[in-house]
Amino acid sequence: MIIIADGGSTKTNWCLINEEQQKIYFNTEGYNPYFASTEYITQSLRKNLPADLEIEKVKEVNYYGAGVHNEEKAAVVADALKQVFTNAKTFVGHDLLAAARALLGRKAG
């Protein structure tokens, strides 16, 4: 299973793509690393992810978020994701990168 997340300061939109290529959407609060620590994000995710989400089956998490401007801020979110999604490869990038990839895919723009 793969998860793609679009995180803002107030909410995060998540899309889980399961083995049957079905898309399942859910939301949590936002996690801007300027205002939330790794510990806070970890606790919030454990509390607010859907109860029926089989976390151990998630193999990839791609998180695009507000406040992820440099490696230090990306690490705040990445460390939390790694603690929650222990079997997953994680990527954390800026929310503007998500917009560019949505528009351009892998092409230059």
Side-chain angles (χ1 to χ4, degrees):
M1 293 192 292
I2 297 172
I3 292 180
I4 302 169
D6 176 20
S9 292
T10 57
K11 77 173 178 179
T12 303
N13 299 312
W14 300 81
C15 177
L16 170 73
I17 304 168
N18 66 17
E19 293 89 354
E20 293 82 33
Q21 300 302 305
Q22 296 171 319
K23 295 175 184 170
I24 301 162
Y25 299 95
F26 55 93
N27 298 310
T28 64
E29 66 181 303
Y31 306 114
N32 185 320
Y34 280 91
F35 306 108
S37 67
T38 296
E39 294 77 22
Y40 179 85
I41 297 168
T42 302
Q43 291 174 0
S44 175
L45 287 172
R46 287 184 174 146
K47 179 180 175 185
N48 295 304
L49 288 173
D52 59 345
L53 176 61
E54 297 177 277
I55 292 174
E56 67 281 351
K57 291 186 178 181
V58 176
K59 299 300 177 197
E60 186 177 330
V61 177
N62 296 285
Y63 179 95
Y64 298 91
V68 182
H69 297 294
N70 58 41
E71 288 183 29
E72 175 190 354
K73 295 302 180 187
V76 170
V77 178
D79 291 346
L81 293 173
K82 290 174 186 174
Q83 289 179 42
V84 174
F85 299 99
T86 56
N87 296 330
K89 179 179 103 176
T90 59
F91 170 82
V92 175
H94 195 280
D95 55 355
L96 293 178
L97 177 58
R101 286 187 172 167
L103 179 64
L104 303 167
R106 298 281 181 187
K107 298 181 220 164

